[in-house]
Amino acid sequence: MSVKEAASRIDKLRDEINLHNQRYYVYDDPQIPDSEYDRLMRELQSLETDFPDLITPESPTQRVGGAPLEGFDSVKHRVPMLSLDNAFDAAEMNEFDRRVHDRLELTDDESIAYVAEPKLDGLAVNLRYEQGRLVLAATRGDGASGEDVTSNVRTISSVPLRLLGTGYPALLEVRGEIFMPKAGFDALNEKARKADEKTFVNPRNAAAGSLRQLDPRITATRPLAFYCYGFGEIDPAPIGETHSDSILRLRQWGLPISQELQVVQGAQGCIDYYEKIAARRDDLEYDIDGVVYKVDRLSRQKSLGFVSRAPRWAIAYKFPAQEALTEVEAIEFQVGRTGAVTPVARLKPVFVGGVTVSNATLHNMDEVERKDVRVGDTVFVRRAGDVIPEVARVLTERRPAATSKVELPANCPVCGSDVVKPEGEAVARCSGGLYCPAQRKEALKHFASRKAMDIEGLGDKLVEQLVEAELVHDPADLFGLTLEQASGLERMAEKSAQNLLAALAKSRRTTLARFLYSLGIREVGEATALGLARHFGNLDAIEAADEEMLQETPDVGPIVASHIVTFFQQLHNREVIDRLRAAGVEWEEGVPEPTHDQPLEGKTIVLTGSLSRPRGEIKAELQVLGAKVTGSVSKKTDYLVAGAEAGSKLAKAEKLGVQVLDETGLDALLAQSD
Ligand code: IVH
């Protein structure tokens, strides 16, 4: 091949690769399979190896280059990088809108258009493109000057090294956030844990740590992403009359922007948007800490101007903080249903993620060791979504003198039985079994819970009272409770006692799957219980099955099978089951199903929106039929089951051409497989 031929092929390959990058990163809508993309990259690489003179810094192959840096140079921002004012509730949002309204001297019936988008929890950067080429990437620093992190930012695949198309200004500075999506963060920490390396506390810290590597080859391995949300210097300016127009032009040039970007009207529009995003917060692929609003019309932005370090035309409406500092007052051990002994930190109460937190889980002793949490320590408490609050990190520099390491107790704090921690396992357990009141209470709570026997009104408090009054030792005792016993309990009115007995009577009619699940056999969750019920059809067959037979059930492997066998080998367990049946607990028994009937095997299904039944239940039914139920939509998804108010997942499925089912469609899918 001549140099000329090579040059022309190289140009063509680069253009093609850049376009595919845009499809993938900007529109989230890839047009070719990964393997085809890899093939293009390899062809380009091999041509560049043969013709090294044709390599340019903007070539898609040149994301990682050069040797590690000694340090980062300081860069002065041509246009300062400002911060944002905050609002913490709807009243403050209304005040913001009122201030803007008054300053712009608008009439009462004129409402202001705002651009709304999530506030990403990462780091702000300024990217400078000259003649369409990325020449500089700098961190925000103190707003006036930051650090030159160009070599690192070049490794982020969603940052174009060269702008696409035409019409971009000769000088274009865009601003945006570098962040680490949650899935990438989890994978990175998982890898670190396996390698016995330090893990990151949250995606923000991981993004910051990754961007501040002196060796870009390390940054290149980190799952970083980028979205644009603003502008620095532009020449010739402007590129649109409104912020939204200008941002949309960036997308045409290959720069990624938020998929959630929307123009909303007035304070009420802002508040509605906030609520919608807040409801979907846990489903988003990245951490956010609020919503940012900007007055859309640029002429209005200009007349509003700035106050000290923040523009008057923008505001961040923040979610309640999800991390807070507090002190560890004590570390205690709790005993769970399966005897797992869990260390728990008792904290000085602190407001985090919208609630007051005074306990945080420490998971297990390995975790305590790793974090080295001690009584008296100042710690970061983290609460994400509905997850149990946890101690994220210890501020060792604030540790008081004379603290000591936490030790695993040798005896169960509740019943005094030996605590055992098998070699290589993270979890320590009380060996007391149902002799241990703590395990008994937890087993009963589980038995009564909604997905198990669903005994209405038999909550945690009542279970504790019943066990402490020694009225109930095991689930079968529940059905022998008398009105007199129940109404004799503290704070129990006669009417409530009657209700409890009625609820117990009602719960006796159940299904085999629920009954199995309610027994609390280790590792037998809803899906496994349903699988066992369908596969064997009746309880006697399950009791009689050996490990090999059990493993013919979908979802049951050797470990689960051995837990099931062990459970039924315990005479006291069989006795409880007999007494439950004698007390009238019943279900329809059926015939066993043919083995391996998994019509949905190999199908990947995602559930979204609000559905008329608990998601866990639907998920279990689908799993039993062999389907894989996952959390996010991709090319590999076969069906998206969308309930009411489905959001971004539905949009994504439609874009990717994934088949979307409503609940009728879902029922048909389940029925057709019956
Ligand atoms: S606009 C002059 N939009 O929040 C306005 N900022 O508290 C500049 N941030 O330093 C910022 N997502 O790191 C804007 N959609 C978004 C944002 C966002 C995250 C960060 C950014 C900035 C900080 C200000």
Side-chain angles (χ1 to χ4, degrees):
M1 194 184 276
S2 71
V3 179
K4 207 167 142 221
E5 281 164 348
S8 127
R9 179 70 190 144
I10 283 178
D11 268 353
K12 199 155 169 282
L13 282 167
R14 286 179 187 161
D15 285 350
E16 223 175 299
I17 290 169
N18 286 332
L19 278 174
H20 289 306
N21 278 342
Q22 184 189 30
R23 298 300 326 174
Y24 188 90
Y25 292 110
V26 182
Y27 294 102
D28 198 6
D29 184 17
Q31 302 282 292
I32 52 168
D34 293 356
S35 56
E36 179 59 18
Y37 179 88
D38 295 342
R39 198 191 61 71
L40 295 173
M41 275 299 263
R42 275 198 307 272
E43 187 185 344
L44 178 60
Q45 259 153 359
S46 100
L47 279 174
E48 288 181 346
T49 314
D50 295 344
F51 300 91
D53 288 350
L54 298 177
I55 298 177
T56 64
E58 292 77 37
S59 172
T61 59
Q62 302 301 301
R63 289 198 174 266
V64 192
L69 306 172
E70 302 268 298
F72 298 109
D73 290 339
S74 163
V75 180
K76 196 168 154 37
H77 298 303
R78 305 281 273 269
V79 176
M81 289 182 77
L82 301 171
S83 63
L84 288 171
D85 253 355
N86 295 319
F88 290 99
D89 55 34
E92 291 180 7
M93 265 317 290
N94 276 311
E95 280 165 34
F96 166 76
D97 180 57
R98 174 107 313 257
R99 281 197 303 274
V100 172
H101 207 274
D102 290 351
R103 276 207 169 251
L104 293 174
E105 298 179 343
L106 300 180
T107 61
D108 275 354
D109 53 345
E110 273 178 289
S111 84
I112 300 160
Y114 295 100
V115 173
E117 63 188 334
K119 186 171 189 301
L120 292 160
D121 209 0
L123 299 97
V125 289
N126 182 63
L127 307 183
R128 186 176 172 91
Y129 288 89
E130 287 175 6
Q131 321 299 343
R133 292 184 158 78
L134 175 65
V135 295
L136 179 69
T139 61
R140 176 168 179 273
D142 62 3
S145 52
E147 287 177 325
D148 179 346
V149 287
T150 314
S151 335
N152 287 340
V153 169
R154 287 175 55 93
T155 69
I156 303 172
S157 330
S158 49
V159 173
L161 301 179
R162 224 184 72 194
L163 298 180
L164 296 179
T166 53
Y168 43 76
L171 170 62
L172 174 65
E173 283 188 354
V174 295
R175 284 166 181 184
E177 200 84 348
I178 288 182
F179 61 98
M180 192 175 285
K182 292 184 220 170
F185 169 76
D186 291 340
L188 183 67
N189 265 356
E190 186 56 38
K191 217 164 75 189
R193 225 169 275 134
K194 284 206 177 119
D196 240 343
E197 284 163 9
K198 240 182 109 178
T199 52
F200 289 103
V201 192
N202 55 41
R204 208 205 89 84
N205 287 20
S210 302
L211 197 63
R212 289 202 39 94
Q213 292 291 332
L214 290 171
D215 185 348
R217 281 169 302 192
I218 298 180
T219 311
T221 66
R222 302 289 172 81
L224 294 174
F226 172 74
Y227 280 149
C228 294
Y229 52 64
F231 305 92
E233 194 179 12
I234 301 181
D235 192 17
I239 55 174
E241 283 191 7
T242 59
H243 183 85
S244 51
D245 284 348
S246 320
I247 284 280
L248 287 174
R249 297 204 71 187
L250 295 183
R251 189 151 72 162
Q252 293 166 358
W253 297 328
L255 286 155
I257 64 173
S258 169
Q259 309 260 12
E260 309 294 337
L261 186 121
Q262 251 180 44
V263 178
V264 299
Q265 295 295 328
Q268 197 52 49
C270 293
I271 293 164
D272 293 346
Y273 180 89
Y274 172 91
E275 275 159 12
K276 270 198 218 129
I277 292 287
R280 289 180 35 224
R281 184 177 185 183
D282 292 340
D283 288 336
L284 294 178
E285 283 162 11
Y286 37 78
D287 269 357
I288 62 174
D289 55 357
V291 173
V292 179
Y293 303 94
K294 302 178 184 106
V295 172
D296 195 22
R297 195 179 293 276
L298 297 182
S299 58
R300 287 182 171 169
Q301 288 191 1
K302 199 161 169 221
S303 64
L304 286 160
F306 307 89
V307 258
S308 64
R309 294 163 54 94
R312 284 204 191 88
W313 43 263
I315 195 154
Y317 185 176
K318 299 279 275 281
F319 295 136
Q322 290 195 301
E323 261 189 22
L325 271 184
T326 188
E327 274 166 44
V328 178
E329 294 182 328
I331 293 177
E332 290 172 7
F333 290 84
Q334 264 176 5
V335 185
R337 174 164 65 82
T338 59
V341 176
T342 307
V344 179
R346 306 284 176 216
L347 307 168
K348 202 159 142 194
V350 61
F351 194 69
V352 43
V355 298
T356 301
V357 167
S358 44
N359 301 304
T361 180
L362 294 165
H363 301 292
N364 56 53
M365 286 311 288
D366 291 358
E367 202 61 23
V368 172
E369 253 325 88
R370 184 155 48 225
K371 289 177 180 157
D372 190 16
V373 187
R374 304 182 185 192
V375 177
D377 272 342
T378 300
V379 293
F380 269 105
V381 186
R382 188 171 160 73
R383 182 178 169 274
D386 300 331
V387 187
I388 308 169
E390 59 170 5
V391 168
R393 188 160 50 102
V394 176
L395 285 184
T396 27
E397 59 275 23
R398 294 224 206 148
R399 174 170 288 166
T403 59
S404 51
K405 275 198 184 283
V406 178
E407 306 266 3
L408 179 70
N411 297 95
C412 171
V414 180
C415 72
S417 303
D418 289 349
V419 168
V420 289
K421 182 171 181 279
E423 192 72 39
E425 270 183 40
V427 179
R429 284 179 208 279
C430 158
S431 57
L434 288 181
Y435 165 77
C436 176
Q439 290 186 53
R440 224 183 299 147
K441 283 180 191 166
E442 295 309 314
L444 283 162
K445 288 179 194 170
H446 174 77
F447 183 80
S449 65
R450 202 171 44 82
K451 294 181 196 163
M453 296 294 284
D454 194 17
I455 307 173
E456 222 170 294
L458 184 53
D460 293 1
K461 278 263 141 49
L462 190 49
V463 167
E464 274 161 34
Q465 275 180 292
L466 288 168
V467 172
E468 272 153 32
E470 304 220 351
L471 289 173
V472 171
H473 294 86
D474 60 47
D477 291 341
L478 287 170
F479 296 95
L481 274 180
T482 64
L483 189 60
E484 203 183 359
Q485 288 173 326
S487 53
L489 292 169
E490 222 175 297
R491 284 187 306 274
M492 181 73 123
E494 169 114 7
K495 181 81 192 120
S496 325
Q498 274 166 0
N499 288 345
L500 175 64
L501 293 199
L504 276 162
K506 189 171 147 225
S507 74
R508 286 193 301 217
R509 177 100 199 120
T510 184
T511 64
L512 177 55
R514 276 180 177 267
F515 183 73
L516 271 176
Y517 172 68
S518 75
L519 294 175
I521 305 169
R522 267 178 73 188
E523 312 222 7
V524 176
E526 267 180 293
T528 309
L530 193 60
L532 288 164
R534 293 214 177 174
H535 182 75
F536 288 95
N538 61 71
L539 187 63
D540 293 340
I542 300 172
E543 284 193 20
D546 61 20
E547 294 189 17
E548 206 173 308
M549 288 157 78
L550 286 164
Q551 285 180 59
E552 282 168 21
T553 317
D555 210 24
V556 173
I559 296 178
V560 180
S562 88
H563 287 323
I564 299 170
V565 168
T566 312
F567 181 88
F568 289 112
Q569 275 170 352
Q570 313 297 310
L571 282 185
H572 62 91
N573 287 337
R574 285 185 180 246
E575 189 216 301
V576 168
I577 293 172
D578 288 346
R579 284 173 43 229
L580 282 167
R581 288 175 118 169
V585 173
E586 55 173 4
W587 54 85
E588 213 163 287
E589 297 219 305
V591 281
E593 278 198 352
T595 37
H596 288 305
D597 185 14
Q598 292 196 283
L600 296 182
E601 193 167 353
K603 298 280 183 224
T604 303
I605 300 178
V606 177
L607 307 175
T608 191
S610 64
L611 298 156
S612 65
R613 297 189 287 148
R615 269 197 206 183
E617 194 176 301
I618 301 175
K619 184 172 171 182
E621 287 173 17
L622 290 168
Q623 282 173 339
V624 164
L625 297 175
K628 202 167 125 196
V629 181
T630 64
S632 61
V633 176
S634 75
K635 295 180 287 190
K636 299 203 183 94
T637 311
D638 293 289
Y639 301 105
L640 176 77
V641 177
E645 278 156 47
S648 64
K649 287 185 192 169
L650 178 57
K652 188 158 178 194
E654 282 167 351
K655 217 167 54 184
L656 293 177
V658 170
Q659 192 173 345
V660 179
L661 302 176
D662 58 9
E663 286 210 63
T664 323
L666 169 70
D667 290 343
L669 191 68
L670 291 169
Q672 159 208 320
S673 316
D674 260 352

